[in-house]
Amino acid sequence: MSRVMIFKRFERFWHWFQALLIFSLLITGFEIHGSYSLLHFGDATQLHTIAAWSLIVLWLFAIFWHITTGEWRQYVPTRDGLFAVIHYYLIGTFTGAEHPYRKTSKAKHNPLQRLAYLFFKLVISPIIWVSGLLYLFYNDWPAVLAGALNLETVALVHTAAAFAMLVFIIAHVYMTTMGHTLTSHIKPMVTGYEELDEPAKKP
């Protein structure tokens, strides 16, 4: 076993800054929705808009980074070992079984994670952004769009996508606690390093 750099600096920055922005969006978004009252409506709306634009910029940088570094390959779905991983999370984790997937620097995510992250990136996120931008620029809708959509539908779609993102985050956080220790899956995203069965590489 060697101590291998598995999450690079930008990757860690992107992950934690993204988490901060998404939590900010959820907190302010549900306040705007009227679920509770922590801030004034105007302040919540302003912070929500700032966080949304910040996340869009961050994701543009992340897309560029993934394409130029080839890290996009980490999210290509595969059925190889998928059902073994599903069986582990449903049964094996409660019986003390070993995780069937062996992580490497070239394949950081198991087959189930790949599907989950791909769903997050290609389904939940686009729905969030399209509905959010439609909501933000409602007063500038062209006549054709205004005739085909109404603000209530856009708001319901945006809220449904927000709940889907919340479910994803809860599942994601829960699954990070399923390592050998409570923080063993979290530590690599902080330090960048993980003990893997492959030769150590320079960062």
Side-chain angles (χ1 to χ4, degrees):
M1 300 292 286
S2 304
R3 190 168 182 261
V4 178
M5 167 68 76
I6 192 166
F7 295 116
K8 300 175 180 66
R9 288 187 184 91
F10 176 78
E11 209 167 0
R12 301 194 309 270
F13 164 76
W14 162 57
H15 177 274
W16 292 113
F17 193 33
Q18 174 181 247
L20 175 65
L21 290 173
I22 288 176
F23 277 115
S24 299
L25 286 165
L26 287 170
I27 292 168
T28 55
F30 284 119
E31 169 139 8
I32 293 168
H33 191 264
S35 302
Y36 47 76
S37 180
L38 294 175
L39 306 167
H40 294 298
F41 178 84
D43 291 337
T45 302
Q46 185 177 21
L47 288 172
H48 192 79
T49 303
I50 292 171
W53 283 118
S54 300
L55 189 54
I56 288 175
V57 171
L58 178 65
W59 279 2
L60 289 175
F61 275 106
I63 290 170
F64 176 79
W65 181 83
H66 278 87
I67 292 172
T68 56
T69 61
E71 287 293 307
W72 60 269
R73 296 184 182 89
Q74 301 279 358
Y75 303 96
V76 176
T78 176
R79 292 176 58 188
D80 186 22
L82 174 62
F83 295 106
V85 172
I86 292 173
H87 182 271
Y88 169 79
Y89 284 123
L90 290 176
I91 299 173
T93 187
F94 302 107
T95 60
E98 282 210 29
H99 201 297
Y101 186 74
R102 291 293 172 265
K103 182 187 297 185
T104 70
S105 57
K106 298 295 183 182
K108 305 172 187 178
H109 310 306
N110 68 53
L112 189 59
Q113 285 177 310
R114 290 183 180 217
L115 286 176
Y117 296 153
L118 203 63
F119 183 79
F120 174 81
K121 293 172 186 293
L122 298 184
V123 179
I124 297 176
S125 298
I127 292 174
I128 281 276
W129 292 122
V130 172
S131 60
L133 290 171
L134 284 172
Y135 204 120
L136 182 63
F137 294 106
Y138 170 69
N139 292 324
D140 301 317
W141 285 10
V144 174
L145 187 61
L149 283 176
N150 61 70
L151 188 60
E152 183 180 4
T153 300
V154 172
L156 287 173
V157 169
H158 193 66
T159 304
F163 274 108
M165 182 171 284
L166 180 59
V167 169
F168 174 88
I169 289 171
I170 291 171
H172 181 64
V173 171
Y174 171 69
M175 293 181 78
T176 62
T177 66
M178 299 175 70
H180 296 299
T181 67
L182 196 63
T183 60
S184 62
H185 287 330
I186 300 172
K187 189 177 178 181
M189 191 52 78
V190 175
T191 66
Y193 289 93
E194 189 162 353
E195 296 290 330
L196 299 177
D197 188 16
E198 63 178 78
K201 297 178 182 178
K202 292 182 179 180

Coordinates of all heavy atoms in Angstrom, one line a residue, residues 47-106:
L47 N -28.6 36.9 -1.6 CA -27.5 35.9 -1.3 C -27.7 34.7 -2.2 O -26.7 34.1 -2.7 CB -27.6 35.5 0.1 CG -27.1 36.5 1.1 CD1 -27.4 36.1 2.6 CD2 -25.6 36.8 1.0
H48 N -29.0 34.3 -2.5 CA -29.2 33.2 -3.4 C -28.7 33.5 -4.8 O -28.1 32.6 -5.4 CB -30.8 32.9 -3.4 CG -31.1 31.6 -4.0 ND1 -31.1 30.4 -3.3 CD2 -31.6 31.3 -5.3 CE1 -31.5 29.5 -4.1 NE2 -31.8 30.0 -5.3
T49 N -29.0 34.7 -5.3 CA -28.5 35.0 -6.6 C -27.0 35.1 -6.7 O -26.4 34.6 -7.7 CB -29.1 36.4 -7.0 OG1 -30.6 36.4 -6.9 CG2 -28.7 36.8 -8.5
I50 N -26.3 35.7 -5.7 CA -24.9 35.7 -5.7 C -24.3 34.3 -5.7 O -23.3 34.0 -6.4 CB -24.4 36.5 -4.5 CG1 -24.8 38.0 -4.7 CG2 -22.9 36.4 -4.4 CD1 -24.5 38.9 -3.4
A51 N -24.8 33.5 -4.8 CA -24.3 32.1 -4.7 C -24.6 31.3 -6.0 O -23.7 30.5 -6.5 CB -25.0 31.4 -3.6
A52 N -25.7 31.6 -6.7 CA -26.0 30.9 -7.9 C -25.0 31.3 -9.0 O -24.5 30.4 -9.7 CB -27.4 31.2 -8.4
W53 N -24.8 32.5 -9.2 CA -23.8 33.0 -10.2 C -22.4 32.5 -9.9 O -21.6 32.1 -10.8 CB -23.8 34.5 -10.4 CG -25.0 35.0 -11.1 CD1 -26.0 35.9 -10.7 CD2 -25.3 34.8 -12.5 NE1 -26.9 36.1 -11.7 CE2 -26.5 35.5 -12.8 CE3 -24.7 34.0 -13.5 CZ2 -27.1 35.5 -14.1 CZ3 -25.3 34.0 -14.8 CH2 -26.5 34.7 -15.0
S54 N -22.0 32.5 -8.6 CA -20.7 32.0 -8.2 C -20.6 30.5 -8.5 O -19.5 30.1 -9.0 CB -20.5 32.2 -6.7 OG -20.6 33.5 -6.3
L55 N -21.6 29.7 -8.3 CA -21.6 28.3 -8.6 C -21.5 28.1 -10.2 O -20.8 27.1 -10.6 CB -22.8 27.6 -8.0 CG -22.8 26.1 -8.1 CD1 -21.5 25.5 -7.4 CD2 -24.0 25.5 -7.4
I56 N -22.2 28.9 -10.9 CA -22.1 28.7 -12.4 C -20.7 29.0 -12.9 O -20.2 28.2 -13.7 CB -23.1 29.7 -13.1 CG1 -24.6 29.3 -12.9 CG2 -22.8 29.9 -14.6 CD1 -25.6 30.2 -13.4
V57 N -20.1 30.0 -12.3 CA -18.7 30.3 -12.7 C -17.7 29.2 -12.3 O -16.9 28.7 -13.0 CB -18.2 31.6 -12.1 CG1 -16.7 31.8 -12.3 CG2 -19.0 32.8 -12.7
L58 N -18.0 28.7 -11.1 CA -17.1 27.6 -10.6 C -17.3 26.3 -11.5 O -16.3 25.7 -11.8 CB -17.5 27.2 -9.1 CG -16.8 26.0 -8.5 CD1 -15.3 26.4 -8.3 CD2 -17.4 25.7 -7.1
W59 N -18.5 26.0 -11.9 CA -18.8 24.9 -12.7 C -18.2 25.0 -14.1 O -17.7 24.1 -14.7 CB -20.3 24.6 -12.8 CG -20.8 23.8 -11.6 CD1 -20.0 23.5 -10.5 CD2 -22.1 23.4 -11.4 NE1 -20.8 22.8 -9.6 CE2 -22.1 22.7 -10.1 CE3 -23.3 23.4 -12.1 CZ2 -23.2 22.1 -9.6 CZ3 -24.4 22.9 -11.6 CH2 -24.4 22.2 -10.3
L60 N -18.1 26.2 -14.6 CA -17.5 26.5 -15.9 C -16.0 26.2 -15.8 O -15.4 25.5 -16.7 CB -17.7 27.9 -16.4 CG -19.1 28.3 -16.8 CD1 -19.3 29.8 -17.1 CD2 -19.6 27.4 -18.0
F61 N -15.4 26.6 -14.7 CA -14.0 26.3 -14.5 C -13.8 24.8 -14.3 O -12.8 24.2 -14.9 CB -13.4 27.0 -13.3 CG -13.0 28.4 -13.5 CD1 -13.7 29.5 -13.1 CD2 -11.8 28.7 -14.2 CE1 -13.3 30.8 -13.4 CE2 -11.3 30.0 -14.5 CZ -12.1 31.0 -14.1
A62 N -14.7 24.1 -13.6 CA -14.6 22.7 -13.4 C -14.8 21.9 -14.7 O -14.0 20.9 -14.9 CB -15.7 22.3 -12.3
I63 N -15.7 22.3 -15.5 CA -15.9 21.7 -16.8 C -14.6 21.8 -17.6 O -14.1 20.8 -18.2 CB -17.1 22.3 -17.6 CG1 -18.4 21.9 -16.9 CG2 -17.1 21.8 -19.0 CD1 -19.6 22.6 -17.4
F64 N -14.0 23.0 -17.7 CA -12.8 23.2 -18.4 C -11.7 22.3 -17.9 O -10.9 21.7 -18.6 CB -12.4 24.7 -18.3 CG -11.0 25.0 -19.0 CD1 -10.9 25.1 -20.4 CD2 -9.9 25.1 -18.2 CE1 -9.7 25.3 -21.0 CE2 -8.7 25.4 -18.8 CZ -8.6 25.5 -20.2
W65 N -11.6 22.2 -16.5 CA -10.5 21.4 -15.9 C -10.7 19.9 -16.2 O -9.7 19.2 -16.5 CB -10.5 21.7 -14.4 CG -9.5 20.9 -13.6 CD1 -8.2 21.2 -13.4 CD2 -9.7 19.6 -12.9 NE1 -7.5 20.3 -12.7 CE2 -8.4 19.3 -12.4 CE3 -10.8 18.8 -12.7 CZ2 -8.2 18.1 -11.6 CZ3 -10.6 17.6 -12.0 CH2 -9.3 17.3 -11.5
H66 N -11.9 19.5 -16.1 CA -12.2 18.0 -16.4 C -11.9 17.7 -17.8 O -11.3 16.6 -18.1 CB -13.7 17.7 -16.1 CG -13.9 17.4 -14.6 ND1 -14.2 18.4 -13.7 CD2 -13.9 16.3 -13.9 CE1 -14.4 17.9 -12.5 NE2 -14.3 16.6 -12.6
I67 N -12.2 18.6 -18.7 CA -11.9 18.3 -20.1 C -10.4 18.3 -20.4 O -9.9 17.4 -21.1 CB -12.7 19.3 -21.0 CG1 -14.2 19.0 -21.0 CG2 -12.2 19.1 -22.5 CD1 -15.0 20.1 -21.7
T68 N -9.7 19.3 -19.9 CA -8.3 19.5 -20.3 C -7.4 18.5 -19.6 O -6.3 18.1 -20.1 CB -7.8 20.9 -19.9 OG1 -8.1 21.2 -18.6 CG2 -8.5 21.9 -20.8
T69 N -7.8 18.0 -18.4 CA -7.0 17.0 -17.7 C -7.4 15.6 -18.0 O -6.7 14.6 -17.6 CB -7.2 17.2 -16.1 OG1 -8.5 17.1 -15.8 CG2 -6.7 18.6 -15.8
G70 N -8.6 15.4 -18.6 CA -9.0 14.0 -18.9 C -9.8 13.4 -17.7 O -10.1 12.2 -17.8
E71 N -10.0 14.2 -16.7 CA -10.7 13.6 -15.5 C -12.1 13.3 -15.7 O -12.8 12.7 -14.9 CB -10.5 14.6 -14.3 CG -9.1 14.6 -13.7 CD -8.8 13.3 -13.0 OE1 -9.6 12.9 -12.1 OE2 -7.7 12.8 -13.3
W72 N -12.7 13.8 -16.9 CA -14.1 13.5 -17.2 C -14.3 12.0 -17.3 O -15.4 11.5 -17.1 CB -14.5 14.2 -18.5 CG -13.6 13.8 -19.7 CD1 -12.5 14.4 -20.1 CD2 -13.9 12.6 -20.6 NE1 -12.0 13.7 -21.3 CE2 -12.8 12.6 -21.5 CE3 -14.9 11.7 -20.6 CZ2 -12.8 11.7 -22.6 CZ3 -14.8 10.7 -21.7 CH2 -13.8 10.7 -22.6
R73 N -13.2 11.2 -17.6 CA -13.3 9.8 -17.8 C -13.7 9.1 -16.5 O -14.1 8.0 -16.5 CB -11.9 9.2 -18.3 CG -11.6 9.7 -19.7 CD -10.3 9.0 -20.2 NE -9.9 9.5 -21.5 CZ -9.1 10.6 -21.7 NH1 -8.6 11.2 -20.6 NH2 -8.8 10.9 -22.9
Q74 N -13.4 9.8 -15.3 CA -13.8 9.2 -14.0 C -15.3 9.0 -13.9 O -15.7 8.2 -13.0 CB -13.3 10.1 -12.9 CG -11.8 10.4 -12.9 CD -11.0 9.3 -12.2 OE1 -11.6 8.3 -11.7 NE2 -9.7 9.4 -12.2
Y75 N -16.1 9.7 -14.7 CA -17.5 9.6 -14.6 C -18.2 8.8 -15.7 O -19.5 8.7 -15.7 CB -18.1 11.0 -14.6 CG -17.5 11.9 -13.5 CD1 -16.4 12.7 -13.8 CD2 -18.0 11.9 -12.2 CE1 -15.8 13.5 -12.8 CE2 -17.4 12.6 -11.2 CZ -16.3 13.5 -11.5 OH -15.8 14.2 -10.6
V76 N -17.4 8.2 -16.5 CA -18.0 7.3 -17.6 C -18.6 6.1 -16.9 O -17.9 5.3 -16.2 CB -16.9 6.9 -18.6 CG1 -17.5 5.9 -19.6 CG2 -16.3 8.1 -19.3
P77 N -19.9 5.8 -17.1 CA -20.6 4.7 -16.4 C -20.1 3.4 -16.9 O -19.7 3.2 -18.0 CB -22.1 4.9 -16.7 CG -22.1 5.7 -18.0 CD -20.9 6.6 -17.9
T78 N -20.2 2.4 -16.0 CA -19.8 1.0 -16.3 C -20.7 0.1 -15.5 O -21.1 0.4 -14.4 CB -18.3 0.7 -16.0 OG1 -18.1 -0.6 -16.3 CG2 -18.0 1.1 -14.6
R79 N -21.0 -1.1 -16.1 CA -21.8 -2.1 -15.4 C -20.9 -3.1 -14.7 O -21.3 -3.9 -13.9 CB -22.7 -2.8 -16.4 CG -23.8 -2.0 -16.9 CD -24.6 -2.7 -18.0 NE -25.2 -3.9 -17.4 CZ -25.8 -4.9 -18.2 NH1 -25.9 -4.7 -19.5 NH2 -26.3 -5.9 -17.6
D80 N -19.6 -3.0 -15.0 CA -18.6 -3.9 -14.4 C -18.5 -3.7 -12.9 O -18.0 -2.7 -12.4 CB -17.3 -3.7 -15.0 CG -16.2 -4.8 -14.6 OD1 -16.7 -5.9 -14.1 OD2 -15.0 -4.5 -14.7
G81 N -19.0 -4.7 -12.1 CA -19.0 -4.6 -10.7 C -20.1 -3.8 -10.0 O -20.2 -3.6 -8.8
L82 N -21.1 -3.3 -10.9 CA -22.1 -2.5 -10.4 C -23.0 -3.2 -9.3 O -23.3 -2.7 -8.3 CB -23.0 -1.9 -11.5 CG -24.3 -1.1 -11.2 CD1 -23.9 0.1 -10.4 CD2 -25.1 -0.8 -12.4
F83 N -23.5 -4.4 -9.7 CA -24.4 -5.1 -8.8 C -23.7 -5.6 -7.5 O -24.3 -5.7 -6.5 CB -25.0 -6.3 -9.6 CG -25.9 -5.8 -10.7 CD1 -25.5 -6.0 -12.0 CD2 -27.1 -5.2 -10.5 CE1 -26.2 -5.5 -13.1 CE2 -27.9 -4.8 -11.5 CZ -27.4 -4.9 -12.8
A84 N -22.4 -5.8 -7.6 CA -21.7 -6.2 -6.4 C -21.6 -5.0 -5.4 O -21.7 -5.2 -4.2 CB -20.2 -6.7 -6.8
V85 N -21.4 -3.8 -6.0 CA -21.4 -2.6 -5.1 C -22.8 -2.3 -4.5 O -22.9 -2.0 -3.4 CB -20.9 -1.4 -6.0 CG1 -21.1 -0.1 -5.2 CG2 -19.5 -1.6 -6.4
I86 N -23.8 -2.5 -5.3 CA -25.2 -2.3 -4.8 C -25.5 -3.3 -3.7 O -26.0 -2.9 -2.7 CB -26.2 -2.5 -6.0 CG1 -26.1 -1.3 -7.0 CG2 -27.6 -2.5 -5.4 CD1 -27.0 -1.5 -8.2
H87 N -25.1 -4.6 -3.9 CA -25.3 -5.6 -2.9 C -24.5 -5.2 -1.6 O -25.0 -5.4 -0.5 CB -24.8 -6.9 -3.4 CG -25.0 -8.1 -2.4 ND1 -24.1 -8.4 -1.5 CD2 -26.1 -8.9 -2.3 CE1 -24.5 -9.4 -0.8 NE2 -25.7 -9.8 -1.2
Y88 N -23.3 -4.7 -1.8 CA -22.5 -4.3 -0.6 C -23.3 -3.2 0.2 O -23.4 -3.3 1.4 CB -21.2 -3.8 -1.0 CG -20.4 -3.1 0.1 CD1 -19.8 -3.9 1.1 CD2 -20.4 -1.7 0.2 CE1 -19.1 -3.3 2.1 CE2 -19.7 -1.1 1.2 CZ -19.0 -1.9 2.2 OH -18.4 -1.3 3.3
Y89 N -23.8 -2.2 -0.5 CA -24.4 -1.1 0.2 C -25.8 -1.5 0.9 O -26.2 -0.9 1.9 CB -24.6 0.1 -0.7 CG -23.3 0.9 -0.9 CD1 -22.9 1.1 -2.2 CD2 -22.6 1.4 0.1 CE1 -21.7 1.8 -2.5 CE2 -21.4 2.1 -0.1 CZ -20.9 2.3 -1.4 OH -19.8 3.0 -1.6
L90 N -26.4 -2.4 0.2 CA -27.7 -2.9 0.8 C -27.6 -3.9 1.9 O -28.3 -3.9 2.9 CB -28.6 -3.5 -0.4 CG -29.1 -2.5 -1.4 CD1 -29.8 -3.3 -2.5 CD2 -30.0 -1.5 -0.8
I91 N -26.6 -4.8 1.8 CA -26.4 -5.9 2.7 C -25.0 -6.0 3.4 O -24.9 -6.0 4.6 CB -26.7 -7.2 2.0 CG1 -28.2 -7.2 1.5 CG2 -26.5 -8.4 3.0 CD1 -28.6 -8.4 0.7
G92 N -24.0 -6.0 2.5 CA -22.6 -6.2 3.0 C -22.1 -5.2 4.0 O -21.4 -5.6 5.0
T93 N -22.5 -4.0 3.9 CA -22.0 -3.0 4.9 C -22.6 -3.2 6.3 O -22.0 -2.8 7.3 CB -22.4 -1.6 4.4 OG1 -21.8 -0.6 5.3 CG2 -23.9 -1.4 4.4
F94 N -23.7 -4.0 6.4 CA -24.3 -4.2 7.7 C -23.8 -5.6 8.2 O -24.2 -6.0 9.4 CB -25.8 -4.2 7.6 CG -26.3 -2.9 7.1 CD1 -26.9 -2.8 5.8 CD2 -26.3 -1.8 7.9 CE1 -27.3 -1.6 5.3 CE2 -26.8 -0.6 7.4 CZ -27.3 -0.5 6.2
T95 N -23.1 -6.4 7.4 CA -22.6 -7.7 7.9 C -21.1 -7.7 8.0 O -20.5 -8.8 8.2 CB -23.1 -8.8 6.9 OG1 -22.5 -8.5 5.6 CG2 -24.6 -8.8 6.8
G96 N -20.5 -6.6 7.8 CA -19.0 -6.6 8.0 C -18.2 -7.0 6.7 O -17.0 -7.3 6.8
A97 N -18.9 -7.1 5.6 CA -18.2 -7.5 4.4 C -17.3 -6.5 3.9 O -17.5 -5.3 4.2 CB -19.3 -7.8 3.3
E98 N -16.3 -6.9 3.1 CA -15.3 -5.9 2.5 C -15.9 -5.3 1.3 O -16.7 -5.9 0.6 CB -14.0 -6.6 2.2 CG -13.1 -6.9 3.4 CD -11.7 -6.8 3.0 OE1 -11.3 -6.1 2.0 OE2 -10.9 -7.5 3.7
H99 N -15.6 -4.0 1.1 CA -16.1 -3.3 -0.1 C -15.5 -4.0 -1.4 O -14.3 -4.3 -1.5 CB -15.6 -1.9 -0.1 CG -16.5 -1.0 -1.0 ND1 -16.5 -1.2 -2.4 CD2 -17.3 0.0 -0.7 CE1 -17.3 -0.3 -2.9 NE2 -17.8 0.5 -1.9
P100 N -16.4 -4.4 -2.3 CA -15.9 -5.2 -3.5 C -15.1 -4.3 -4.5 O -14.4 -4.9 -5.4 CB -17.2 -5.6 -4.2 CG -18.2 -4.6 -3.8 CD -17.8 -4.2 -2.4
Y101 N -15.1 -3.0 -4.4 CA -14.4 -2.1 -5.3 C -13.1 -1.7 -4.8 O -13.0 -1.3 -3.6 CB -15.3 -0.9 -5.7 CG -14.7 -0.1 -6.8 CD1 -14.8 -0.5 -8.1 CD2 -14.1 1.2 -6.5 CE1 -14.2 0.3 -9.1 CE2 -13.5 1.9 -7.5 CZ -13.6 1.5 -8.8 OH -13.1 2.3 -9.8
R102 N -12.0 -1.7 -5.6 CA -10.7 -1.3 -5.3 C -10.4 0.0 -6.0 O -10.2 0.0 -7.3 CB -9.7 -2.4 -5.6 CG -9.8 -3.6 -4.7 CD -9.4 -3.3 -3.3 NE -9.7 -4.4 -2.4 CZ -10.8 -4.6 -1.7 NH1 -11.7 -3.7 -1.8 NH2 -10.9 -5.6 -0.9
K103 N -10.4 1.1 -5.3 CA -10.1 2.4 -5.9 C -8.7 2.5 -6.4 O -7.7 2.0 -5.8 CB -10.4 3.5 -4.8 CG -10.2 4.9 -5.3 CD -10.4 5.9 -4.2 CE -11.7 5.8 -3.5 NZ -11.9 6.9 -2.5
T104 N -8.5 3.2 -7.5 CA -7.2 3.6 -8.0 C -7.2 5.1 -8.4 O -8.3 5.7 -8.5 CB -6.8 2.7 -9.3 OG1 -7.6 3.1 -10.4 CG2 -6.9 1.3 -9.0
S105 N -6.1 5.6 -8.7 CA -6.0 7.0 -9.1 C -6.7 7.2 -10.5 O -7.1 8.3 -10.8 CB -4.6 7.5 -9.1 OG -3.8 6.7 -10.0
K106 N -6.7 6.2 -11.3 CA -7.3 6.2 -12.6 C -8.8 5.9 -12.6 O -9.6 6.1 -13.5 CB -6.6 5.3 -13.6 CG -5.2 5.6 -13.8 CD -5.0 6.9 -14.5 CE -3.5 7.2 -14.8 NZ -3.3 8.5 -15.5

